PDB file of all heavy atoms in Angstrom:
ATOM      1  N   ILE A  33     -12.535   8.877  17.229  1.00  0.00           N
ATOM      2  CA  ILE A  33     -11.952   8.444  16.035  1.00  0.00           C
ATOM      3  C   ILE A  33     -11.187   7.029  16.243  1.00  0.00           C
ATOM      4  O   ILE A  33     -11.241   6.214  15.498  1.00  0.00           O
ATOM      5  CB  ILE A  33     -11.194   9.465  15.308  1.00  0.00           C
ATOM      6  CG1 ILE A  33     -12.005  10.600  14.840  1.00  0.00           C
ATOM      7  CG2 ILE A  33     -10.364   8.914  14.206  1.00  0.00           C
ATOM      8  CD1 ILE A  33     -11.211  11.882  14.418  1.00  0.00           C
ATOM      9  N   ILE A 107     -20.796  -4.085  20.617  1.00  0.00           N
ATOM     10  CA  ILE A 107     -19.501  -4.089  21.277  1.00  0.00           C
ATOM     11  C   ILE A 107     -19.545  -5.016  22.489  1.00  0.00           C
ATOM     12  O   ILE A 107     -18.588  -5.600  22.958  1.00  0.00           O
ATOM     13  CB  ILE A 107     -18.994  -2.725  21.799  1.00  0.00           C
ATOM     14  CG1 ILE A 107     -19.837  -2.158  22.888  1.00  0.00           C
ATOM     15  CG2 ILE A 107     -18.860  -1.868  20.566  1.00  0.00           C
ATOM     16  CD1 ILE A 107     -19.256  -0.745  23.292  1.00  0.00           C
ATOM     17  N   ARG A 186      -0.667   9.917  15.487  1.00  0.00           N
ATOM     18  CA  ARG A 186       0.119  11.165  15.346  1.00  0.00           C
ATOM     19  C   ARG A 186      -0.707  12.405  15.243  1.00  0.00           C
ATOM     20  O   ARG A 186      -0.425  13.349  15.872  1.00  0.00           O
ATOM     21  CB  ARG A 186       0.905  11.000  13.992  1.00  0.00           C
ATOM     22  CG  ARG A 186       2.065  12.035  13.902  1.00  0.00           C
ATOM     23  CD  ARG A 186       2.634  12.091  12.520  1.00  0.00           C
ATOM     24  NE  ARG A 186       2.648  10.838  11.819  1.00  0.00           N
ATOM     25  CZ  ARG A 186       3.701  10.039  11.817  1.00  0.00           C
ATOM     26  NH1 ARG A 186       4.691  10.267  12.598  1.00  0.00           N
ATOM     27  NH2 ARG A 186       3.653   8.996  11.155  1.00  0.00           N
ATOM     28  N   LEU A 213      19.702  -0.555  18.806  1.00  0.00           N
ATOM     29  CA  LEU A 213      19.552  -1.729  19.553  1.00  0.00           C
ATOM     30  C   LEU A 213      19.731  -3.054  18.890  1.00  0.00           C
ATOM     31  O   LEU A 213      20.382  -3.949  19.351  1.00  0.00           O
ATOM     32  CB  LEU A 213      17.928  -1.736  19.985  1.00  0.00           C
ATOM     33  CG  LEU A 213      17.451  -2.834  20.834  1.00  0.00           C
ATOM     34  CD1 LEU A 213      18.179  -2.822  22.197  1.00  0.00           C
ATOM     35  CD2 LEU A 213      15.941  -2.949  20.912  1.00  0.00           C
ATOM     36  N   ILE A 248      12.950  -5.570  12.282  1.00  0.00           N
ATOM     37  CA  ILE A 248      13.421  -6.946  12.208  1.00  0.00           C
ATOM     38  C   ILE A 248      12.893  -7.676  10.961  1.00  0.00           C
ATOM     39  O   ILE A 248      13.575  -8.340  10.201  1.00  0.00           O
ATOM     40  CB  ILE A 248      13.108  -7.684  13.493  1.00  0.00           C
ATOM     41  CG1 ILE A 248      13.886  -7.101  14.703  1.00  0.00           C
ATOM     42  CG2 ILE A 248      13.408  -9.240  13.258  1.00  0.00           C
ATOM     43  CD1 ILE A 248      13.496  -7.543  16.032  1.00  0.00           C
ATOM     44  N   GLU A 258       7.634 -11.385  18.456  1.00  0.00           N
ATOM     45  CA  GLU A 258       6.638 -11.293  19.365  1.00  0.00           C
ATOM     46  C   GLU A 258       6.827 -10.109  20.296  1.00  0.00           C
ATOM     47  O   GLU A 258       7.924  -9.955  20.874  1.00  0.00           O
ATOM     48  CB  GLU A 258       6.542 -12.622  20.249  1.00  0.00           C
ATOM     49  CG  GLU A 258       6.263 -13.858  19.308  1.00  0.00           C
ATOM     50  CD  GLU A 258       6.416 -15.124  20.083  1.00  0.00           C
ATOM     51  OE1 GLU A 258       6.678 -15.107  21.355  1.00  0.00           O
ATOM     52  OE2 GLU A 258       6.202 -16.237  19.606  1.00  0.00           O
ATOM     53  N   PHE A 292       6.374  -1.379  38.281  1.00  0.00           N
ATOM     54  CA  PHE A 292       7.111  -1.522  39.482  1.00  0.00           C
ATOM     55  C   PHE A 292       6.384  -2.195  40.491  1.00  0.00           C
ATOM     56  O   PHE A 292       6.894  -3.303  41.112  1.00  0.00           O
ATOM     57  CB  PHE A 292       7.536  -0.089  40.091  1.00  0.00           C
ATOM     58  CG  PHE A 292       8.184   0.737  39.188  1.00  0.00           C
ATOM     59  CD1 PHE A 292       8.260   2.114  39.291  1.00  0.00           C
ATOM     60  CD2 PHE A 292       9.132   0.243  38.252  1.00  0.00           C
ATOM     61  CE1 PHE A 292       9.007   2.967  38.550  1.00  0.00           C
ATOM     62  CE2 PHE A 292       9.883   0.948  37.434  1.00  0.00           C
ATOM     63  CZ  PHE A 292       9.892   2.298  37.614  1.00  0.00           C
ATOM     64  N   VAL A 318       4.426   4.041  44.590  1.00  0.00           N
ATOM     65  CA  VAL A 318       4.815   2.672  44.676  1.00  0.00           C
ATOM     66  C   VAL A 318       5.972   2.420  45.623  1.00  0.00           C
ATOM     67  O   VAL A 318       6.620   1.363  45.587  1.00  0.00           O
ATOM     68  CB  VAL A 318       5.218   2.117  43.296  1.00  0.00           C
ATOM     69  CG1 VAL A 318       3.900   2.052  42.480  1.00  0.00           C
ATOM     70  CG2 VAL A 318       6.284   2.807  42.672  1.00  0.00           C
ATOM     71  N   LYS A 450       7.718  23.791  11.131  1.00  0.00           N
ATOM     72  CA  LYS A 450       6.691  24.071  12.122  1.00  0.00           C
ATOM     73  C   LYS A 450       6.927  23.384  13.381  1.00  0.00           C
ATOM     74  O   LYS A 450       7.062  22.153  13.290  1.00  0.00           O
ATOM     75  CB  LYS A 450       5.339  24.091  11.561  1.00  0.00           C
ATOM     76  CG  LYS A 450       4.174  24.315  12.526  1.00  0.00           C
ATOM     77  CD  LYS A 450       2.858  23.887  11.798  1.00  0.00           C
ATOM     78  CE  LYS A 450       1.809  24.250  12.899  1.00  0.00           C
ATOM     79  NZ  LYS A 450       0.419  23.786  12.488  1.00  0.00           N
ATOM     80  N   VAL A 568      34.031  30.424  92.080  1.00  0.00           N
ATOM     81  CA  VAL A 568      33.338  29.510  91.207  1.00  0.00           C
ATOM     82  C   VAL A 568      34.095  28.179  90.985  1.00  0.00           C
ATOM     83  O   VAL A 568      35.291  28.376  90.670  1.00  0.00           O
ATOM     84  CB  VAL A 568      33.010  30.123  89.820  1.00  0.00           C
ATOM     85  CG1 VAL A 568      32.293  29.255  88.964  1.00  0.00           C
ATOM     86  CG2 VAL A 568      32.307  31.429  90.067  1.00  0.00           C
ATOM     87  N   GLY A 598      46.377  12.917  71.088  1.00  0.00           N
ATOM     88  CA  GLY A 598      47.829  12.940  70.499  1.00  0.00           C
ATOM     89  C   GLY A 598      47.820  13.314  69.028  1.00  0.00           C
ATOM     90  O   GLY A 598      48.871  13.545  68.442  1.00  0.00           O
ATOM     91  N   ILE A 664      36.076  43.482  21.207  1.00  0.00           N
ATOM     92  CA  ILE A 664      34.948  43.811  21.972  1.00  0.00           C
ATOM     93  C   ILE A 664      34.755  45.283  22.013  1.00  0.00           C
ATOM     94  O   ILE A 664      33.636  45.890  21.916  1.00  0.00           O
ATOM     95  CB  ILE A 664      34.848  43.202  23.372  1.00  0.00           C
ATOM     96  CG1 ILE A 664      34.781  41.651  23.117  1.00  0.00           C
ATOM     97  CG2 ILE A 664      33.582  43.576  24.106  1.00  0.00           C
ATOM     98  CD1 ILE A 664      34.927  40.771  24.546  1.00  0.00           C
ATOM     99  N   LYS A 684      16.489  65.799  14.918  1.00  0.00           N
ATOM    100  CA  LYS A 684      16.486  66.872  13.951  1.00  0.00           C
ATOM    101  C   LYS A 684      15.210  67.563  13.779  1.00  0.00           C
ATOM    102  O   LYS A 684      14.092  66.957  13.920  1.00  0.00           O
ATOM    103  CB  LYS A 684      16.815  66.044  12.497  1.00  0.00           C
ATOM    104  CG  LYS A 684      18.165  65.679  12.281  1.00  0.00           C
ATOM    105  CD  LYS A 684      18.499  65.201  11.009  1.00  0.00           C
ATOM    106  CE  LYS A 684      20.008  64.804  10.704  1.00  0.00           C
ATOM    107  NZ  LYS A 684      20.062  64.185   9.490  1.00  0.00           N
TER     108      LYS A 684
END
Side-chain angles (χ1 to χ4, degrees):
I33 294 170
I107 65 175
R186 193 193 325 272
L213 179 69
I248 295 171
E258 299 174 358
F292 299 155
V318 293
K450 179 185 176 184
V568 181
I664 298 172
K684 278 184 180 178

